[in-house]
Amino acid sequence: MDNYITGALIKKLRESKKMTQQELADKVCVSDKAISKWETGRGFPDMGLIEPLAKALGISVIELLAGVDVKNRNRSFDMNKCRFYVCPICGNVIQTTGEAVISCCGVTLPPQEAEEPDDEHRINFEIVEDEYYVTVDHPMEKTHYISFLCAVSDYGIQFAKLYPEQDAATRFKMSRVERIYAYCNRHGLFSLDLKSLRKKKSV
């Protein structure tokens, strides 16, 4: 735990709730001096106090331990704001519809930032009846491969998990798909904006 960041967060959240140090101390069953020490980085809460402290401050335990408070402002469920988190230890993939604090295997995961496809990660697609047949010209070796492909529409996501020594290819239903993502286990996330491509073709 980063004492300074966590202490600053405790103070920020306490003040936002218009609580005094004594009022917060009463909720957590400690002294106001203990709260003061936490907020100034001269001490930190015992692990047994983390859950009641998080509850008193109105955030999750993960947010408190990470030293950040994330407010998901994605109230209108805009799938274009979806985020992907990939665990470097077990390879688990977590997808959210907005900002979140995600932890896996004891690691707090940063959201993947999608880049434009380069020559080594070009996302190709062709229309086959009512589907997109999506491929990536990329090695599918045991240590270097495309881990997943997905298609995002305005109402949901289609996800295909890939594995080494298979083709980097899959099919997605075309209906209202706006963006296709490909994730390389070495180079990260790449994104193809189909909505923009359709606009260019119609001009």
Side-chain angles (χ1 to χ4, degrees), residues 20-127:
T20 64
Q21 289 183 341
Q22 185 61 61
E23 288 170 335
L24 178 57
D26 291 342
K27 289 179 181 290
V28 188
C29 299
V30 297
S31 68
D32 60 336
K33 289 182 179 179
I35 301 294
S36 177
K37 285 183 179 180
W38 298 347
E39 291 184 353
T40 55
R42 292 179 290 118
F44 55 92
D46 181 87
M47 287 304 293
L49 295 173
I50 296 297
E51 189 171 348
L53 179 60
K55 184 177 180 181
L57 294 172
I59 63 172
S60 69
V61 170
I62 291 176
E63 287 173 300
L64 184 60
L65 290 174
V68 294
D69 58 324
V70 172
K71 303 299 181 188
N72 187 352
R73 297 177 177 83
N74 190 20
R75 306 299 183 190
S76 60
F77 194 70
D78 182 353
M79 286 302 296
N80 288 318
K81 297 179 181 177
C82 69
R83 300 286 184 270
F84 296 91
Y85 301 80
V86 182
C87 180
I89 297 171
C90 71
N92 193 16
V93 181
I94 301 104
Q95 182 264 321
T96 69
T97 56
E99 289 188 58
V101 175
I102 303 294
S103 180
C104 187
C105 296
V107 178
T108 300
L109 308 178
Q112 294 292 317
E113 294 186 15
E115 299 178 33
E116 292 286 327
D118 55 26
D119 289 341
E120 295 179 356
H121 300 89
R122 183 174 287 112
I123 301 171
N124 310 298
F125 69 93
E126 58 182 282
I127 297 172

Side-chain angles (χ1 to χ4, degrees), residues 125-134 171 174 201:
F125 69 93
E126 58 182 282
I127 297 172
V128 180
E129 296 180 350
D130 64 342
E131 295 179 320
Y132 287 123
Y133 177 59
V134 179
R171 291 174 182 258
M174 287 176 56
K201 287 183 179 180

Side-chain angles (χ1 to χ4, degrees), residues 84 112-116 148 181-184 187-191:
F84 296 91
Q112 294 292 317
E113 294 186 15
E115 299 178 33
E116 292 286 327
F148 67 81
Y181 290 93
Y183 181 80
C184 170
H187 301 103
L189 192 65
F190 296 88
S191 169

